[in-house]
Amino acid sequence: MNRINFSTMSLALIAALYAHAACAESSVTVYGNVNVGLVGSNFKTTGQTPVQGTNTALNNSVQMVDNSSRWGLLGKEDLGNGYYVGFSLEGGINVQNGTGGQDFKTQGRLFGRDAEVKIGGSFGELYAGYALSPAGLQLLLVADPWYWNGNQAGMGWTIQQANYTQTNYLRTPNTVGYRSPDMHGFTAQLAYSHPDRTNVYGTSADAGGTLTYRNGPLVIGAGFDRSHGLSNDPAQDTMWDIVGSYDFGAVRPAFSYTKSSVNNVDYSSYVLALTAPVGPIGLLKVAYGHLSDCLCGPTKSSLYRASLGYQYNLSKRSNLYANLSRSKAENLSAADSVELGIEHNF
């Protein structure tokens, strides 16, 4: 009799668990961005200020370039009571030739932009995998009007992070992290990356975090990161930054200020930016960035980049754009570029 009761209880428990699993809602979303431009530049590779973006071999010509095109998968399963398990996978695309981008060729990374599994709830979100560093992402989101979609015009990580790099530029492998819930406008993110002995970009551990405050049109934040850089320098490299923006409606000014120490040498940078709607379907973008030393000459050489852009929205997901940019370092001639492109989000 006891055996029968035990078996009955076991079956009931299994049935209850199965019913709970069957009721859990899950979804997978495919998304992406296709962005390609034609860039003309006077860049000649020698005796000239380095240019931003992937087309560093323009050599005084016109080229078709990809501007961080990407595709990805977002998955989420609702566990009930506000808890969930999910994932995000994102890879790069070189639209100009159809190949995989973002370390696909050099390292075989199918998802070289992001690869995370996460569990979350009212406590926030825990995640693990290959992820963007909190401080690097904060700089891009708040203070660069082009995010990373403007090949020449964007301020770029070299200026914004003041020559600081993690084990793989803005991304770190073997990462565990935490994203907090919104706490009266404040959010925090912490991340730690264990050393990756097979990473061709370096084997350093990385740790960092951000604190951000959002209140209506106001955004202000601070970030910190430390590692031993791409070359696994003996000295510990550090970076900290502050960012801010305020959306007045007619115009949105933004700024960032960054201090770094790389192999025991100090650097600093700042970015001043502005976006403004032009009519119902246009957007004006302006930015000026300054770096204390671009490491592009035999002696210390400060660098500035000034950019102007216009985005014409064809729809909520598609736009045409035009960008002008000039980069100038001390004792080097300026590098100028003109870019015309099209972008579609799906």
Side-chain angles (χ1 to χ4, degrees):
M1 185 66 177
N2 290 337
R3 184 177 301 172
I4 295 175
N5 288 338
F6 179 76
S7 299
T8 303
M9 290 175 61
S10 299
L11 290 173
L13 179 59
I14 292 172
L17 291 173
Y18 179 80
H20 175 76
C23 292
E25 295 183 2
S26 61
S27 63
V28 176
T29 301
V30 180
Y31 71 94
N33 171 281
V34 181
N35 187 331
V36 67
L38 289 175
V39 179
S41 175
N42 64 350
F43 182 62
K44 297 179 181 179
T45 71
T46 57
Q48 197 166 15
T49 302
V51 295
Q52 170 70 25
T54 58
N55 53 324
T56 54
L58 280 171
N59 199 20
N60 202 25
S61 65
V62 176
Q63 282 189 7
M64 178 179 290
V65 297
D66 175 76
N67 287 334
S68 297
S69 296
R70 51 199 179 271
W71 75 284
L73 300 170
L74 294 174
K76 186 175 182 180
E77 181 184 16
D78 184 359
L79 301 178
N81 298 320
Y83 296 100
Y84 64 88
V85 172
F87 68 87
S88 58
L89 303 170
E90 185 173 291
I93 309 169
N94 293 321
V95 175
Q96 77 275 26
N97 56 30
T99 60
Q102 203 74 33
D103 301 330
F104 178 78
K105 184 177 180 179
T106 58
Q107 298 187 51
R109 285 194 170 116
L110 179 60
F111 299 107
R113 296 180 61 86
D114 186 56
E116 299 179 27
V117 63
K118 57 195 76 175
I119 182 169
S122 59
F123 63 89
E125 183 177 83
L126 296 169
Y127 65 94
Y130 183 67
L132 284 157
S133 72
L137 180 60
Q138 182 186 61
L139 282 164
L140 284 168
L141 286 175
V142 177
D144 195 331
W146 288 269
Y147 190 32
W148 45 35
N149 290 343
N151 198 278
Q152 294 298 303
M155 295 296 99
W157 60 265
T158 303
I159 291 179
Q160 286 195 316
Q161 295 200 152
N163 293 324
Y164 176 85
T165 54
Q166 291 90 341
T167 57
N168 194 5
Y169 298 100
L170 296 176
R171 297 169 175 84
T172 55
N174 301 327
T175 301
V176 291
Y178 169 73
R179 300 180 179 104
S180 79
D182 188 295
M183 299 172 288
H184 303 289
F186 287 96
T187 56
Q189 183 175 353
L190 298 171
Y192 173 77
S193 172
H194 189 69
D196 182 1
R197 300 304 174 190
T198 63
N199 183 11
V200 300
Y201 283 136
T203 58
S204 170
D206 183 277
T210 56
L211 179 65
T212 307
Y213 176 72
R214 292 179 174 85
N215 185 356
L218 173 67
V219 179
I220 190 166
F224 175 80
D225 201 274
R226 67 179 186 182
S227 73
H228 289 273
L230 298 181
S231 303
N232 203 19
D233 301 325
Q236 181 170 267
D237 301 339
T238 59
M239 179 196 77
W240 66 266
D241 64 76
I242 56 173
V243 299
S245 69
Y246 194 94
D247 192 347
F248 291 95
V251 64
R252 176 186 175 273
F255 78 93
S256 68
Y257 179 76
T258 305
K259 291 276 289 184
S260 70
S261 177
V262 180
N263 210 11
N264 290 322
V265 180
D266 295 334
Y267 304 97
S268 64
S269 68
Y270 65 86
V271 171
L272 303 174
L274 179 148
T275 57
V278 180
I281 55 177
L283 183 66
L284 180 70
K285 303 177 181 181
V286 182
Y288 176 87
H290 183 272
L291 175 62
S292 61
D293 186 359
C294 63
L295 306 177
C296 52
T299 59
K300 182 177 179 180
S301 180
S302 63
L303 174 145
Y304 77 82
R305 176 171 297 128
S307 298
L308 174 67
Y310 177 73
Q311 176 180 308
Y312 180 82
N313 295 316
L314 300 171
S315 68
K316 291 183 178 180
R317 297 189 298 173
S318 303
N319 67 78
L320 303 173
Y321 59 86
N323 298 318
L324 302 174
S325 182
R326 163 166 282 206
S327 299
K328 177 69 172 70
E330 286 184 279
N331 304 316
L332 296 175
S333 60
D336 302 314
S337 67
V338 179
E339 181 175 21
L340 301 174
I342 181 170
E343 177 184 17
H344 175 73
N345 298 283
F346 62 89

